[in-house]
């Protein structure tokens, strides 16, 4: 009975989407539709780009870009730490593509390696043969991975690497141990498997997801042990080593060491998601290396593509991998997808890893990251009513603002306090928008804890770059939050008036 009602509802819901228009096939040879050329795209105006974004890409997202004033910008080129817009303005990039630009924008040695590869007409797709590029990259990844993290699967997105990681764990743990423990405020990707262990209602929406997850607070070792005891079916613990989307949340070394010991005791596999925090960002190739422990499986992506292409890898301990896929009968259960191990992607990732070591980028992340953190802590001491916390490691740093009411003059606080939940993210929004508009600095926002501004710059970042960011923040905070809000609102009003005039 209930099922019958449900299916009726579904049919009604589907009726709200109009049927596609009927297109009668034109007989004869196919003619070229109205296509834009690459040169058309390069020369496109902001107005045309806005129109196409609205019509063909993501109309809803445009709303947020407009709120922040980001919709007026067309990036013409990028180099090192900077974007350059249509007016030649240099924008200092502390957003860093959410951590996908470790070697900087258009790193010359990455470009040179790719150009040479193209000029030599090397092959990209080699499914029928072994690839010297995929195997060499697998060797390099194994070489930078501690312990016996030696078996490598190549893919093209963090989600894909994490799906591979969860599957290798599930196969190695066995059919009776298919439950996955994950953390509050986790982000592991948007494909349906990993989305099941991503703790964001926005992303989960109302999708039908896997129901074999057990959620615990991040960094709570007692909760993990209690879960292991209550659910012997747990075969995998899936955790970001540093939570990115959760607001740059770290756990102490002691937690990770106890986690390793607990996993060994209960025979559970530890999967470390290093998609955002890995590839040198924290001052070690992997963030877990700070804690003297090695997971059973890990995943990297983002910066692995050298800022030029989509590359990702899952790395498993040999024993785990062999248990899952080690025989001819099991080898093809989860072998590379179409673009896994694509030639130019592999050599780009190889050059990226070589550059990280040869150009001292990992050590630079540690040194400049420590400077960034100390400079932000200095700001926090100066503006304790505005900045609540500074945290992170290397060049993965979060700056958390106080709840909005607390940043205002004392007389205004009680009246505004009841709106704090609704106003979460507003100060980071105002600051982010004004940092870009008035100080040419780009910072990143955070999905779950929207009071946090995320700083994930390229690892080529210098102390002078840090001084520019911190100096700009200091100037803005020095004016006080009331002025920041006024400035932001004034910009919105001017925008609306200009739009009104144009329309008239
Ligand atoms: C920790 C973490 N895991 C997985 C992913 C998914 O990566 P992708 O967007 O490349 O699919 C992300 C992306 O932001 C991430 O931050």
């Amino acid at each position: 009975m209930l099922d019958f009602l449900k299916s009726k509802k579904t049919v009604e819901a589907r009726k709200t989407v109009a049927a596609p228009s009927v297109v009668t096939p034109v007989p004869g040879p196919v003619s070229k539709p109205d296509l834009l050329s690459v040169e058309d795209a390069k020369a496109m105006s902001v107005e045309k780009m806005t129109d196409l974004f609205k019509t063909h890409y993501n109309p809803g997202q445009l709303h947020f870009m407009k709120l922040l004033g980001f919709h007026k910008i067309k990036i013409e080129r990028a180099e090192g730490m900077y974007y350059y817009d249509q007016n030649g303005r240099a924008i200092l990039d502390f957003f860093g593509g959410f951590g996908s630009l470790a070697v900087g924008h258009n790193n010359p040695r990455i470009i040179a390696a790719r150009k040479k590869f193209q000029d030599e007409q090397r092959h990209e797709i080699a499914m029928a043969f072994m690839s010297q590029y995929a195997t060499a990259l697998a060797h390099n990844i194994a070489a930078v991975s501690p312990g016996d993290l030696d078996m490598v699967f190549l893919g093209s997105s963090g989600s894909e690497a994490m799906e591979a990681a969860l599957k290798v764990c599930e196969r190695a743990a066995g059919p009776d141990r298919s439950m996955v423990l994950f953390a509050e405020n986790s982000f592991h990707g948007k494909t349906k498997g990993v989305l099941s262990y991503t703790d964001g209602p926005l992303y989960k929406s109302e999708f039908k997801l896997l129901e074999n997850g057990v959620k615990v607070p991040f960094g709570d070792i007692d909760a993990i042990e209690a879960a292991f005891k209550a659910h012997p079916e747990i075969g995998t613990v899936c955790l970001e080593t540093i939570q990115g989307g959760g607001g740059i949340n770290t756990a102490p070394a002691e937690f990770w060491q106890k986690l390793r010991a607990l996993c060994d005791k209960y025979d559970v596999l530890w999967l470390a998601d290093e998609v955002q925090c890995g590839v040198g960002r924290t001052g070690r190739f992997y963030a877990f290396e700070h804690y003297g422990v090695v997971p059973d499986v890990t995943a990297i992506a983002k910066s692995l593509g050298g800022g030029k292409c989509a590359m990702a890898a899952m790395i498993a301990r040999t024993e785990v991998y062999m248990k899952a896929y080690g025989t001819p009968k099991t080898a093809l259960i989860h072998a590379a997808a179409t673009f896994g191990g694509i030639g130019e992607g592999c050599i780009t990732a190889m050059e990226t890893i070589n550059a990280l070591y040869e150009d001292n980028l990992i050590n630079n992340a540690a040194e400049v990251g420590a400077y960034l953190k100390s400079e932000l802590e200095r700001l926090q001491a100066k503006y304790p009513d505005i900045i609540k916390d500074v945290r992170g490691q290397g060049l993965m740093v979060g700056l958390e603002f106080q709840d909005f009411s607390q940043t205002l003059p004392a007389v205004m606080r009680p009246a505004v306090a009841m709106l704090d939940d609704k106003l979460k993210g507003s100060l980071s929004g105002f600051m982010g928008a004004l940092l870009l508009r008035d100080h040419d600095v780009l910072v990143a926002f955070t999905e779950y804890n929207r009071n946090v501004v995320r700083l994930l710059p390229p690892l080529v970042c210098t102390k002078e770059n840090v001084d520019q960011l911190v100096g700009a923040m200091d100037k803005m905070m020095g004016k006080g939050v009331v002025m920041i809000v006024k400035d932001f609102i004034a910009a919105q009003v001017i925008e609306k008036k200009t739009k009104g005039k144009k329309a008239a």
Side-chain angles (χ1 to χ4, degrees):
M1 176 70 178
L2 277 176
D3 279 346
F4 166 73
L5 283 176
K6 256 191 221 157
S7 61
K8 193 173 167 198
K9 213 171 151 192
T10 316
V11 172
E12 270 163 18
R14 282 184 56 187
K15 275 188 190 158
T16 60
V17 179
S21 48
V22 177
V23 180
T24 321
V26 181
V30 171
S31 56
K32 187 182 165 197
D34 178 20
L35 299 179
L36 294 170
S37 68
V38 175
E39 293 309 309
D40 290 335
K42 290 181 194 166
M44 193 180 285
S45 69
V46 173
E47 289 72 27
K48 173 88 176 167
M49 192 163 64
T50 309
D51 184 38
L52 296 185
F53 198 95
K54 214 180 339 184
T55 318
H56 298 297
Y57 207 56
N58 194 333
Q61 195 179 354
L62 202 55
H63 164 79
F64 298 104
M65 291 192 168
K66 282 186 174 167
L67 262 182
L68 297 167
F70 287 16
H71 65 302
K72 296 176 189 161
I73 292 170
K74 178 189 169 197
I75 299 300
E76 292 289 357
R77 63 183 194 90
E79 192 182 334
M81 279 291 293
Y82 294 95
Y83 285 108
Y84 295 88
D85 76 2
Q86 71 272 40
N87 304 312
R89 176 164 76 126
I91 297 169
L92 184 64
D93 185 10
F94 268 86
F95 188 128
F98 284 130
S100 48
L101 286 156
V103 292
H105 291 275
N106 285 315
N107 184 305
R109 64 182 282 179
I110 307 291
I111 291 180
R114 287 167 68 89
K115 269 193 183 151
K116 189 159 188 285
F117 192 80
Q118 289 164 14
D119 291 345
E120 291 167 353
Q121 296 201 309
R122 300 282 171 170
H123 68 277
E124 297 291 351
I125 310 282
M127 289 174 188
F129 312 107
M130 285 185 289
S131 156
Q132 59 272 51
Y133 315 120
T135 46
L137 174 60
H139 165 274
N140 282 5
I141 291 177
V144 299
S145 303
D148 58 347
L149 281 169
D150 284 336
M151 293 300 293
V152 178
F153 166 91
L154 297 173
S156 36
S157 74
S159 300
E160 189 188 355
M162 282 301 294
E163 293 285 355
L166 284 157
K167 284 175 83 176
V168 82
C169 287
E170 184 171 330
R171 287 224 16 114
D176 301 334
R177 312 281 308 277
S178 63
M179 277 184 107
V180 177
L181 183 139
F182 67 102
E184 285 174 9
N185 295 315
S186 59
F187 185 88
H188 298 295
K190 294 180 199 159
T191 49
K192 281 186 81 173
V194 277
L195 185 57
S196 308
Y197 319 116
T198 282
D199 187 33
L202 170 74
Y203 303 120
K204 284 183 126 93
S205 187
E206 284 157 0
F207 293 113
K208 178 87 188 114
L209 299 173
L210 299 172
E211 287 168 357
N212 61 345
V214 177
K215 188 166 72 172
V216 297
F218 181 71
D220 186 339
I221 200 71
D222 294 335
I224 292 177
E225 179 151 29
F228 283 0
K229 282 182 180 157
H231 304 283
E233 317 90 291
I234 293 175
T236 306
V237 173
C238 172
L239 297 172
E240 289 154 89
T241 317
I242 298 179
Q243 287 191 324
I248 315 292
N249 301 323
T250 58
E254 196 192 357
F255 167 79
W256 298 106
Q257 287 152 8
K258 284 188 176 165
L259 176 73
R260 179 68 273 174
L262 265 192
C263 285
D264 293 342
K265 182 174 165 192
Y266 288 88
D267 199 19
V268 172
L269 296 167
W270 167 24
L271 158 54
D273 181 344
E274 293 258 341
V275 169
Q276 196 169 135
C277 62
V279 196
R281 178 148 300 279
T282 66
R284 292 269 184 262
F285 189 85
Y286 295 103
F288 59 70
E289 289 179 88
H290 291 284
Y291 311 127
V293 280
V294 181
D296 298 290
V297 177
T298 187
I300 50 177
K302 292 191 187 279
S303 282
L304 189 62
K308 291 305 283 182
C309 67
M311 275 302 290
M314 177 278 282
I315 309 103
R317 290 179 51 225
T318 303
E319 194 190 330
V320 172
Y321 183 89
M322 293 309 281
K323 227 170 156 182
Y325 307 125
T327 66
K329 206 170 154 193
T330 55
L332 300 182
I333 292 176
H334 195 81
T338 309
F339 294 119
I342 189 167
E344 196 167 319
C346 288
I347 63 102
T348 304
M350 289 178 68
E351 194 65 12
T352 299
I353 296 174
N354 277 289
L356 285 173
Y357 290 92
E358 287 167 11
D359 300 341
N360 203 34
L361 298 182
I362 303 181
N363 292 327
N364 189 62
E367 190 189 329
V368 177
Y371 179 68
L372 170 63
K373 219 170 141 192
S374 72
E375 281 297 282
L376 292 174
E377 279 160 0
R378 186 175 60 73
L379 272 194
Q380 185 190 7
K382 192 168 171 188
Y383 305 107
D385 289 349
I386 301 181
I387 301 176
K388 183 177 176 186
D389 193 23
V390 174
R391 52 182 180 260
Q393 182 123 34
L395 285 171
M396 181 167 188
V397 172
L399 178 115
E400 182 170 5
F401 291 114
Q402 300 283 6
D403 279 337
F404 193 69
S405 63
Q406 298 311 301
T407 66
L408 298 171
V411 285
M412 299 167 79
R413 287 178 194 172
V416 180
M418 65 184 80
L419 296 173
D420 271 338
D421 252 9
K422 286 216 158 48
L423 290 170
K424 254 203 186 345
S426 45
L427 189 53
S428 12
F430 299 151
M431 292 279 270
L434 296 176
L435 272 174
L436 181 61
R437 193 194 70 182
D438 299 337
H439 300 277
D440 308 326
V441 180
L442 182 67
V443 296
F445 306 100
T446 302
E447 295 97 323
Y448 304 156
N449 184 346
R450 285 177 289 120
N451 279 353
V452 177
V453 162
R454 254 188 292 178
L455 304 168
L456 300 152
L459 310 188
V460 297
C461 186
T462 63
K463 289 185 179 171
E464 290 71 36
N465 296 145
V466 170
D467 291 341
Q468 185 181 336
L469 165 81
V470 174
M473 284 186 158
D474 194 1
K475 253 191 205 151
M476 283 174 52
M477 290 183 205
K479 290 190 202 166
V481 168
V482 173
M483 270 313 291
I484 293 175
V485 177
K486 270 190 184 166
D487 245 16
F488 180 82
I489 292 173
Q492 293 291 321
V493 172
I494 291 167
E495 163 99 349
K496 275 212 172 113
K497 274 191 181 159
T498 324
K499 229 172 138 189
K501 265 188 199 161
K502 266 190 192 163

